Amino acid sequence: MLDLSGTPVWCVGGGEMAAAKVGPMIDAGAQVTLISPEVHELLQERVAEIIPREYQTGDIKPSNQPALVVAASDVREVNAQVKADADALGLWCLRIDQAGDMSLPARVPVDDLTVAVATGVPALTARLSAHLAHDIDPKWAEAAEVLRELRRDVDVRKALSALPQSERAANWRLTVDAALDGENDRFALLRILTGLEY
């Protein structure tokens, strides 16, 4: 789970697999530069910049300040070179044609809740993701929404900081249980979480 808002990402390759990998990054706010002579229609208007040619060693360099490189060419040798170039610069590289030093899990979004799935076998991951998308009870997303608000609340954090760590952890478990049991009254959850009356 990375915050890619405004983050420079360089992608080599503009086909269907590139669209599948960088599309969610663009949705998350990444600024994608694409190097490819052909660009999938799903990426045409969405990337920050298109360099319409084949990849050349030296395209990715520190002055471009990429945080992440995606090797998504249809040519294995090109992907290998992109990976080698990224490694030489100490950059994370997602290589789509083989396992590498990073991978992207499948995402199962349910409202504001996201479940990530990875199995090491793409076909199994896709099948499990589809299964989970139908079987996740909406109560999980509802609980996530109300609990996230509590966690971000400055006054709640201040009240919790006065408690010993073991008590904080126990109170969070009780609060999560209550939210999953359908308790969505903010003040009731605050009383469980902090032990204070509201």
Side-chain angles (χ1 to χ4, degrees):
M1 302 289 278
L2 297 174
D3 181 358
L4 293 176
S5 302
T7 302
V9 173
W10 282 59
C11 178
V12 176
E16 188 174 342
M17 286 304 296
K21 295 300 180 185
V22 301
M25 294 180 192
I26 294 169
D27 293 341
Q31 298 298 305
V32 175
T33 296
L34 192 71
I35 304 173
S36 179
E38 297 178 8
V39 179
H40 194 282
E41 61 183 7
L42 293 176
L43 295 174
Q44 285 284 348
E45 302 297 324
R46 301 188 65 213
V47 296
E49 181 182 359
I50 296 173
I51 301 172
R53 60 169 170 74
E54 299 292 341
Y55 174 76
Q56 300 169 6
T57 293
D59 283 340
I60 298 167
K61 51 193 169 196
S63 62
N64 298 334
Q65 300 181 327
L68 174 66
V69 176
V70 180
S73 168
D74 293 332
V75 181
R76 291 182 66 82
E77 294 77 14
V78 172
N79 289 337
Q81 186 61 57
V82 171
K83 174 78 166 75
D85 293 346
D87 286 349
L89 294 171
L91 299 172
W92 287 101
C93 182
L94 172 63
R95 184 173 170 181
I96 61 138
D97 58 352
Q98 71 177 42
D101 50 12
M102 70 167 296
S103 64
L104 294 179
R107 294 171 48 242
V108 182
V110 181
D111 297 326
D112 287 338
L113 174 72
T114 298
V115 177
V117 179
T119 67
V121 181
L124 178 61
T125 300
R127 189 77 170 271
L128 179 56
S129 299
H131 174 76
L132 289 174
H134 294 290
D135 283 357
I136 295 177
D137 190 314
K139 74 178 184 179
W140 292 96
E142 294 163 7
E145 182 179 352
V146 68
L147 293 170
R148 186 172 33 253
E149 288 176 15
L150 290 179
R151 189 166 185 261
R152 291 177 179 162
D153 188 296
V154 174
D155 292 330
V156 170
R157 286 156 70 167
K158 183 178 177 183
L160 288 175
S161 69
L163 300 176
Q165 171 59 35
S166 60
E167 190 174 342
R168 281 197 307 267
N171 287 4
W172 266 115
R173 285 192 294 274
L174 292 171
T175 306
V176 167
D177 288 345
L180 289 173
D181 285 340
E183 178 61 75
N184 58 12
D185 179 76
R186 176 181 171 80
F187 295 111
L189 292 173
L190 278 170
R191 283 192 293 275
I192 297 168
L193 182 58
T194 64
L196 301 174
E197 287 297 325
Y198 289 89

